Amino acid sequence: MTTQTASGFTAVDSDLYTQAFRLLDPAPEPSTPAPAAPAPAAFVLAAPPVHRPGAVEKTLTDALDFLDTHGWAKHRLIHPEGARCSIGALRAAAGARNDAYRDAGNLLLDEARKQHGKGWESIPAWNDSHTGPQVRGVWEAAIQRAHHLNI
């Protein structure tokens, strides 16, 4: 069986499509390559900034550590067994009556007045009139203030 197919199409010039596209876009611009993507930045995982305590915060922290290690005392600067009152611990931590010692003492007394009333004239008077937990709470608050003030 022979089947005849008549397409009815006329042969087309092969350049016809090329010419038609040139007419539609007479002057194609040369394609410029896309800019190269920048190399990804190397991610450096930096450690969080290390807090360096100021002289006042360090003195207060060292003094509280001294009280934790050697004990806290009332009514005497240094107990025969080594415990100290708050002012004795400050002196031990500072090593001398320097600016850090004075500023730490002022901050401690200021915090004592905030928590226990404005009538306290000195650290020894306040220290001797309160319990260990009350005294410790003032020390901790003073250290936090020094930390936030960055002193």
Side-chain angles (χ1 to χ4, degrees), residues 67-121:
L67 291 174
D68 287 342
T69 303
H70 299 285
W72 170 71
K74 281 183 165 188
H75 307 294
R76 45 181 27 176
L77 187 65
I78 303 172
H79 190 273
E81 294 175 9
R84 293 191 181 212
C85 71
S86 291
I87 199 73
L90 267 177
R91 288 180 184 171
R97 293 186 185 184
N98 55 26
D99 289 340
Y101 166 78
R102 283 186 289 280
D103 292 344
N106 287 334
L107 187 64
L108 184 67
L109 185 57
D110 185 56
E111 190 60 40
R113 289 173 176 157
K114 282 174 99 174
Q115 291 188 28
H116 300 268
K118 297 192 185 288
W120 301 107
E121 295 295 321

Side-chain angles (χ1 to χ4, degrees), residues 121-137:
E121 295 295 321
S122 67
I123 292 172
W126 160 77
N127 179 85
D128 294 347
S129 300
H130 291 85
T131 66
Q134 290 172 321
V135 170
R136 182 175 190 79

Side-chain angles (χ1 to χ4, degrees), residues 40-57:
F43 289 102
V44 177
L45 297 176
V50 175
H51 172 72
R52 291 196 171 95
V56 173
E57 180 184 354

